[in-house]
Coordinates of all heavy atoms in Angstrom, one line a residue:
L306 N 51.7 37.6 -0.3 CA 52.3 38.0 -1.6 C 51.7 39.3 -2.2 O 52.3 40.0 -3.0 CB 52.1 36.8 -2.6 CG 53.0 35.6 -2.4 CD1 52.6 34.5 -3.3 CD2 54.5 35.9 -2.5
A307 N 50.4 39.5 -1.9 CA 49.7 40.7 -2.4 C 50.1 42.0 -1.7 O 49.6 43.0 -2.1 CB 48.2 40.4 -2.4
A308 N 50.8 41.9 -0.6 CA 51.1 43.1 0.2 C 51.8 44.1 -0.7 O 52.8 43.8 -1.4 CB 52.0 42.7 1.4
G309 N 51.4 45.3 -0.6 CA 52.0 46.4 -1.4 C 51.3 46.5 -2.8 O 51.6 47.5 -3.5
S310 N 50.5 45.6 -3.2 CA 49.8 45.7 -4.5 C 48.4 46.3 -4.2 O 48.0 46.5 -3.1 CB 49.7 44.4 -5.1 OG 48.7 43.6 -4.5
E311 N 47.6 46.5 -5.3 CA 46.3 47.0 -5.2 C 45.3 45.9 -5.2 O 44.1 46.1 -5.1 CB 46.0 47.9 -6.4 CG 46.8 49.2 -6.5 CD 46.5 50.1 -5.3 OE1 45.4 50.2 -4.8 OE2 47.5 50.6 -4.7
A312 N 45.8 44.6 -5.2 CA 44.8 43.5 -5.2 C 44.2 43.3 -3.8 O 44.9 43.5 -2.8 CB 45.6 42.2 -5.5
T313 N 42.9 43.0 -3.8 CA 42.2 42.7 -2.5 C 42.2 41.2 -2.3 O 41.6 40.4 -3.1 CB 40.8 43.2 -2.6 OG1 40.9 44.7 -2.7 CG2 40.0 42.9 -1.3
V314 N 42.8 40.7 -1.2 CA 42.7 39.3 -0.9 C 42.1 39.1 0.5 O 42.5 39.8 1.5 CB 44.2 38.7 -0.8 CG1 44.1 37.2 -0.4 CG2 44.9 38.9 -2.1
V315 N 41.1 38.3 0.5 CA 40.4 37.9 1.8 C 40.8 36.5 2.1 O 40.5 35.6 1.3 CB 38.9 38.1 1.6 CG1 38.2 37.6 3.0 CG2 38.5 39.5 1.3
S316 N 41.5 36.3 3.2 CA 42.1 35.0 3.6 C 41.3 34.4 4.7 O 41.2 35.0 5.8 CB 43.5 35.2 3.9 OG 44.2 33.9 4.0
V317 N 40.8 33.2 4.5 CA 39.9 32.5 5.4 C 40.6 31.3 6.0 O 41.2 30.5 5.3 CB 38.6 32.1 4.8 CG1 37.7 31.3 5.7 CG2 37.8 33.3 4.2
H318 N 40.6 31.2 7.3 CA 41.2 30.1 8.1 C 40.3 29.5 9.1 O 39.3 30.0 9.4 CB 42.5 30.6 8.8 CG 43.4 31.4 7.9 ND1 44.4 30.8 7.1 CD2 43.5 32.8 7.6 CE1 45.0 31.8 6.4 NE2 44.5 33.0 6.7
T319 N 40.7 28.3 9.6 CA 39.9 27.6 10.6 C 40.7 26.7 11.5 O 41.8 26.3 11.1 CB 38.8 26.8 9.9 OG1 38.0 26.1 10.8 CG2 39.5 25.7 9.0
F320 N 40.2 26.4 12.7 CA 40.8 25.4 13.5 C 40.2 24.0 13.4 O 40.6 23.1 14.1 CB 40.7 25.9 15.0 CG 41.6 27.0 15.4 CD1 41.1 28.3 15.5 CD2 42.9 26.8 15.6 CE1 42.0 29.3 15.8 CE2 43.8 27.8 16.0 CZ 43.3 29.1 16.1
S321 N 39.3 23.9 12.4 CA 38.6 22.6 12.2 C 39.5 21.5 11.8 O 39.3 20.3 12.2 CB 37.5 22.8 11.2 OG 36.5 23.6 11.6
K322 N 40.6 21.8 11.1 CA 41.5 20.8 10.6 C 42.6 20.5 11.5 O 43.2 19.4 11.5 CB 42.0 21.1 9.2 CG 40.9 21.6 8.2 CD 39.8 20.5 8.0 CE 38.8 21.0 7.0 NZ 37.7 20.0 6.8
V323 N 43.0 21.5 12.3 CA 44.2 21.3 13.2 C 43.8 21.0 14.7 O 44.7 20.6 15.4 CB 45.1 22.5 13.1 CG1 45.7 22.6 11.7 CG2 44.5 23.8 13.5
L324 N 42.6 21.4 15.1 CA 42.2 21.0 16.4 C 40.9 20.1 16.4 O 41.0 19.0 16.6 CB 41.9 22.3 17.2 CG 43.1 23.1 17.8 CD1 42.7 24.3 18.6 CD2 44.0 22.2 18.6
A325 N 39.8 20.7 16.1 CA 38.6 19.9 16.1 C 37.5 20.7 15.3 O 37.3 21.9 15.6 CB 38.1 19.6 17.5
P326 N 36.8 20.1 14.4 CA 35.7 20.8 13.7 C 34.5 21.2 14.5 O 33.9 22.2 14.2 CB 35.3 19.8 12.6 CG 35.7 18.4 13.1 CD 37.0 18.7 13.9
G327 N 34.3 20.5 15.6 CA 33.1 20.8 16.4 C 33.3 22.1 17.2 O 32.3 22.6 17.8
L328 N 34.5 22.6 17.3 CA 34.7 23.9 18.0 C 34.1 25.0 17.2 O 33.7 26.0 17.8 CB 36.3 24.2 18.1 CG 37.1 23.2 19.0 CD1 38.5 23.5 18.8 CD2 36.6 23.4 20.5
R329 N 34.0 24.9 15.9 CA 33.5 25.9 15.0 C 34.1 27.3 15.3 O 33.4 28.3 15.5 CB 31.9 26.1 15.2 CG 31.1 24.8 15.1 CD 31.5 24.0 13.8 NE 31.3 24.7 12.6 CZ 32.2 24.6 11.6 NH1 33.3 23.8 11.7 NH2 32.0 25.3 10.5
V330 N 35.4 27.3 15.3 CA 36.2 28.6 15.4 C 37.1 28.7 14.2 O 37.9 27.9 13.9 CB 37.0 28.6 16.7 CG1 37.8 29.9 16.8 CG2 36.1 28.5 17.9

Side-chain angles (χ1 to χ4, degrees):
L306 288 172
S310 75
E311 296 297 319
T313 298
V314 179
V315 179
S316 190
V317 176
H318 308 274
T319 181
F320 285 101
S321 292
K322 310 304 181 183
V323 298
L324 282 182
L328 295 170
R329 309 310 305 138
V330 176

